[in-house]
Every structure is written in structure tokens, then in C-alpha cells.
């Protein structure tokens, strides 16, 4: 049971470099999310994709772009990394049935340091 | 005001103690409520969903008070393994966004 898989687990970037964080889920969920977690700030939503073919901004989208490649995969791109983007990034997925909601399932996280 | 607020703690309790956490939310349209557990440097994992009538799972009891807009988590007979950060999560009807509190840190002491 892989669930939600994120790569890489750790990354160090220099300011101005770019990179893409990959996320894949095998639960056939329609919705996928990218969060960042910083000390004292909790998890903050960067972008989400309610379903394949759609993406929307969350609370802190500046400096990021996303691609919903297919139903399984949702990637997060940093075009020009800044030290303020040093954080732990979590990908998540969930399913919604009518008015009901299931919980969100998380990947193991990517620890990104920008120097 | 934050959409979801929690006391950050830490709550330091002895083994066997009962401990309770509260979480308040500001959006009255919130429809789904969850408690997640997060261990140090790990991903959040669902502890339990919170239902309108309240629900129990072993030593854990969750309650929802819509009138006062808060949810609670009660842990009975605390174990050392309960030491973690507990995240309150709220989702409004008609949205896809899960809103997280900053978490309450629990330390169970031997």
C-alpha cells in the first residue's frame, strides 16, 4: 500500500535554482494538495487540484507553480528558489463523495533547504 | 483571527493521566472535522474524524460543539506513545480545502 509518494525526501538548493517536487497517489483520489509546514505556522495550503484538469491557488501560492499531470500525479515547481521557501512540503490526496468528505492522506514530506 | 486555533502547549502529563485539547474554528460553514496526529519529522496521519454526535475510538473521544464552534479531543489513560503533536483540521462544505490548526504538542512523561 504505497498511498501518497513524494520525491525527493530531502533537497538543498541554491538561491535562484529551480526544482520540481513530484507527488503520486495510487488511491484513485480526485483531489490533490500541496502544503508547506513551517515552525509555528502549521500546514499552509499552496495549491490544490480538485480534480484532474483543474488547479487552484491556496493560501500561499506566490513563488510556486503546479501541474496536475494526470489523475495520479500532481507536481510542485519552484522556478527561482528563495531562502523563504525553506520548509517541509507535504503532498496530500482525498476523495469527496457528494456532500461527504474523506480525510486527506499525506505523503512523507520533502525537506527543502534553500541557501 | 486564524480560521482554526489551537493552544500550542506543550501539555506535559504523566502516564495514565487524562488530557483534553480544544480547537476553535471561525467559519460557521465548516462541515467536516478531523483530528490528526503528527510525530516529529513525520507526515500527519488521521487519528479520528469528528462527528456531530461525538465519537469514541478506544482511549480517544472527540466532541463537536457547533454552537460554540469548537471541537475537542480527550485522551484517557495516556501512554508514552501518545506523545506527538495533535492537529485540528476543518473543512467547509462545498470547498476542497482542509484548514489546519498549528497543533497542540503533548508529552507523556514516565
Amino acid at each position: 500500500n504505497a498511498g501518497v509518494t513524494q520525491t525527493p525526501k530531502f533537497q538543498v538548493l541554491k538561491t535562484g535554482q529551480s526544482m520540481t517536487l513530484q507527488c503520486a497517489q495510487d488511491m484513485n483520489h480526485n483531489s490533490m494538495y500541496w502544503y508547506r509546514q513551517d515552525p509555528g505556522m502549521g500546514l499552509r495550503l499552496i495549491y490544490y487540484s480538485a480534480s484532474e484538469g483543474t488547479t487552484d491557488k491556496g493560501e500561499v501560492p506566490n513563488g510556486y507553480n503546479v501541474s496536475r499531470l494526470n489523475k495520479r500525479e500532481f507536481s510542485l515547481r519552484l522556478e527561482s528558489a528563495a531562502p523563504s521557501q525553506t520548509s517541509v512540503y507535504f503532498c496530500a490526496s482525498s476523495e469527496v463523495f457528494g456532500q461527504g468528505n474523506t480525510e486527506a492522506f499525506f505523503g512523507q514530506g520533502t525537506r527543502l533547504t534553500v541557501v | 483571527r486564524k480560521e482554526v486555533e489551537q493552544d500550542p502547549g506543550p501539555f506535559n502529563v504523566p502516564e495514565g493521566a487524562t488530557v483534553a485539547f480544544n480547537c476553535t474554528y471561525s467559519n460557521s460553514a465548516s462541515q467536516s472535522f478531523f483530528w490528526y496526529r503528527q510525530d516529529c519529522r513525520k507526515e500527519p496521519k488521521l487519528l479520528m474524524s469528528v462527528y456531530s454526535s461525538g465519537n469514541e475510538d478506544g482511549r480517544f473521544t472527540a466532541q463537536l460543539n457547533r454552537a460554540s464552534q469548537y471541537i475537542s479531543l480527550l485522551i484517557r489513560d495516556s501512554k508514552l506513545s501518545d506523545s506527538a503533536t495533535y492537529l485540528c483540521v476543518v473543512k467547509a462544505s462545498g470547498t476542497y480545502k482542509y484548514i489546519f490548526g498549528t497543533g497542540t504538542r503533548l508529552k507523556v512523561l514516565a
Side-chain angles (χ1 to χ4, degrees):
Chain A
N1 274 348
V4 180
T5 303
Q6 288 181 237
T7 55
K9 290 188 169 50
F10 301 93
Q11 184 72 49
V12 179
L13 289 178
K14 293 183 179 178
T15 298
Q17 286 185 316
S18 62
M19 79 162 295
T20 300
L21 281 63
Q22 306 286 355
C23 175
Q25 52 93 8
D26 62 2
M27 295 173 283
N28 203 36
H29 286 168
N30 278 303
S31 302
M32 296 186 73
Y33 310 81
W34 277 105
Y35 287 88
R36 62 178 286 175
Q37 186 174 34
D38 303 291
M41 302 290 289
L43 280 95
R44 293 182 292 169
L45 183 64
I46 305 171
Y47 270 93
Y48 67 100
S49 171
S51 60
E52 187 179 356
T54 70
T55 60
D56 286 283
K57 294 178 181 179
E59 183 184 355
V60 288
N62 291 345
Y64 305 95
N65 285 302
V66 290
S67 295
R68 184 71 183 267
L69 304 169
N70 47 56
K71 191 172 184 180
R72 289 187 64 248
E73 298 173 287
F74 188 39
S75 63
L76 178 72
R77 183 160 178 84
L78 287 70
E79 290 292 351
S80 179
S84 60
Q85 294 179 303
T86 294
S87 188
V88 181
Y89 292 84
F90 288 104
C91 177
S93 71
S94 74
E95 191 54 76
V96 177
F97 300 99
Q99 292 300 310
N101 300 282
T102 68
E103 71 270 24
F105 294 82
F106 284 82
Q108 291 181 308
T110 297
R111 283 165 178 77
L112 175 67
T113 301
V114 183
V115 298
Chain B
R1 183 184 172 187
K2 291 182 180 177
E3 288 192 67
V4 178
E5 295 201 66
Q6 295 182 251
D7 181 340
F11 285 63
N12 296 321
V13 302
E15 270 187 292
T18 295
V19 61
F21 310 135
N22 281 344
C23 163
T24 59
Y25 60 93
S26 61
N27 185 352
S28 59
S30 298
Q31 199 69 22
S32 300
F33 308 90
F34 309 91
W35 283 104
Y36 276 71
R37 169 190 171 130
Q38 186 173 27
D39 294 293
C40 187
R41 301 180 70 79
K42 299 284 190 180
E43 74 273 24
K45 292 185 178 178
L46 180 72
L47 178 66
M48 57 197 305
S49 301
V50 185
Y51 303 118
S52 295
S53 55
N55 48 299
E56 188 173 307
D57 183 1
R59 298 181 293 107
F60 300 86
T61 300
Q63 296 282 349
L64 168 63
N65 185 318
R66 287 190 185 274
S68 300
Q69 295 186 199
Y70 76 84
I71 67 173
S72 64
L73 177 68
L74 182 77
I75 305 175
R76 291 180 299 277
D77 190 23
S78 298
K79 311 290 184 192
L80 293 175
S81 57
D82 294 333
S83 297
T85 297
Y86 291 84
L87 305 172
C88 172
V89 185
V90 171
K91 191 168 178 296
S93 176
T95 77
Y96 294 89
K97 302 178 190 179
Y98 296 82
I99 308 299
F100 285 76
T102 54
T104 297
R105 191 172 172 202
L106 172 66
K107 289 185 179 180
V108 181
L109 307 171

